[in-house]
């Protein structure tokens, strides 16, 4: 079962509270394990602009006004592993033309979505030259060999086809319900004990 680019939707009754009602975009999956980012759990603080200021990247004015809106964007709780490490989940319209083809350290997840964990994308976002859609996450969700497959078999997760729009949109409060709706599932029909092992 290939899971890269798929959405994991936490079942009600998920025993780990960090994943309650989580929607995870699987960024990499292989026999060695899996890695993904939770795409619906914004942290209360700091905002992206504040975090960038802390690492010496300052938002500049842009004709398109993107840097101002990016500065107030929330940071997502990407998962419980390496919570001090940042990732940018973004549309594939980056790197911009001003960057050479080798820059960026971008990892393609699907036709429309990529992940980058290098400073250059933050510099471009701050300058108003970043991707059209982007979400910044701290930490990630990780699974060892066979672990995720076991959690899926134990009904901890539903697996949905990639919905690139849903993965990158900022309506976090309804993302879990909308992810279920892509599978034709009404959340009220799910048992609260379905995800318990």
């Amino acid at each position: 079962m290939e899971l890269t680019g798929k959405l994991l939707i936490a079942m009600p009754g998920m025993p780990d509270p960090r994943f309650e009602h989580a929607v995870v975009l699987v960024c990499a999956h292989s026999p060695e394990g899996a890695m993904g980012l939770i795409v619906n759990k914004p942290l209360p603080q700091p905002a992206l602009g504040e975090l960038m200021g802390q690492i010496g990247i300052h938002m500049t004015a842009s004709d398109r006004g993107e840097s101002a809106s990016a500065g107030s964007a929330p940071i997502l709780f990407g998962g419980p592993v390496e919570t001090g490490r940042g990732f940018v989940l973004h549309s594939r319209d980056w790197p911009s033309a001003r960057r050479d083809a080798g820059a960026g350290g971008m990892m393609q997840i699907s036709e429309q979505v990529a992940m980058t964990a290098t400073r250059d994308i933050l510099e471009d976002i701050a300058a108003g030259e970043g991707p059209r859609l982007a979400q910044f996450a701290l930490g990630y969700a990780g699974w060892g060999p066979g672990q995720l497959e076991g959690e899926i078999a134990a009904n901890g997760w539903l697996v949905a086809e990639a919905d690139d729009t849903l993965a990158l949109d900022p309506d976090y409060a309804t993302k879990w319900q909308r992810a279920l709706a892509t599978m034709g599932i009404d959340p009220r029909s799910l048992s609260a004990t379905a995800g318990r092992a």
Side-chain angles (χ1 to χ4, degrees), residues 48-58 75 84 86 88 118-123 126 136 138:
L48 182 55
E50 182 181 342
L51 183 69
M52 282 198 201
Q54 292 172 6
I55 60 173
I57 299 174
H58 300 286
I75 296 172
V88 180
T118 56
R119 183 181 175 98
D120 51 355
I121 191 169
L122 295 177
E123 291 170 348
F136 187 84
L138 286 175

Side-chain angles (χ1 to χ4, degrees), residues 9-13 21 158 176 180 185-194:
I9 306 166
M11 290 288 285
H21 290 138
L158 291 173
W176 183 75
L180 288 170
I185 297 173
D186 181 337
R188 295 170 296 183
S189 69
L190 297 174
S191 166
T193 59

Side-chain angles (χ1 to χ4, degrees), residues 132-146:
R132 184 176 54 84
L133 299 171
Q135 293 185 353
F136 187 84
L138 286 175
Y140 65 92
W143 294 268

Side-chain angles (χ1 to χ4, degrees), residues 5 7 23 25 39 89-91 110-113 132-135 161-172 175 178-179 182:
L7 291 176
V23 177
L25 179 63
V39 295
L89 196 61
H90 60 90
S91 51
S110 69
E111 288 296 317
Q112 302 298 322
V113 178
R132 184 176 54 84
L133 299 171
Q135 293 185 353
E161 289 302 315
D163 184 325
D164 298 335
T165 302
L166 189 140
L168 290 175
D169 92 40
D171 182 3
Y172 309 113
K175 205 171 276 196
R178 288 183 294 128
T182 67

